[in-house]
Amino acid sequence: MYTDETLNCVDCNSQFTFSSGEQQFFASKGFQNKPNRCPECRSARKAQRGSGGGGGGSYGGNGGGGSSRGAREMFQTTCSQCGQTAEVPFQPRGDKPVYCRDCFQTRSGSYR
């Protein structure tokens, strides 16, 4: 179903292969965009972000919109208030209550 593709890196403009295995992995994670950077530039960028190098943070770097990030992984859990199934963007640890969207919105007024 997947075949190797040759892509161009937006940083160094070199060609790199987006292998069928990588495509399968991207699809399993729900990512819809192809990588923009070669593995070397991706590693360098990751290392730069990991060193805490600048004040911009990782969320504001692309002018908003988040188009460079893939689909967020969601986790199924049970709402601590109403008991219905809830889908949340983090892995619940079990030590704190987790609420569905509706229950969270009714509770969030007290936190603002």
Side-chain angles (χ1 to χ4, degrees):
M1 181 166 147
Y2 298 102
T3 58
D4 291 358
E5 287 185 53
T6 301
L7 304 175
N8 288 323
C9 178
V10 296
D11 288 345
C12 68
N13 206 31
S14 66
Q15 291 187 338
F16 65 98
T17 301
F18 185 35
S19 72
S20 61
E22 290 172 313
Q23 291 174 44
Q24 216 168 5
F25 173 77
F26 272 53
S28 74
K29 292 292 184 182
F31 299 155
Q32 297 176 352
N33 298 326
K34 297 176 185 178
N36 292 325
R37 293 177 176 83
C38 66
E40 293 79 19
C41 289
R42 259 185 278 166
S43 294
R45 186 173 166 91
K46 205 179 278 188
Q48 185 181 24
R49 281 192 313 219
S51 67
S58 62
Y59 291 107
N62 66 357
S67 61
S68 66
R69 296 189 325 197
R72 181 179 277 187
E73 184 176 2
M74 301 297 280
F75 298 89
Q76 297 281 327
T77 189
T78 302
C79 176
S80 297
Q81 186 169 323
C82 71
Q84 293 185 10
T85 300
E87 196 170 69
V88 295
F90 58 89
Q91 176 72 53
R93 297 185 312 217
D95 62 337
K96 293 184 180 178
V98 177
Y99 303 102
C100 67
R101 182 180 306 253
D102 293 335
C103 292
F104 180 77
Q105 288 177 344
T106 61
R107 297 178 60 79
S108 65
S110 63
Y111 296 116
R112 292 183 184 181

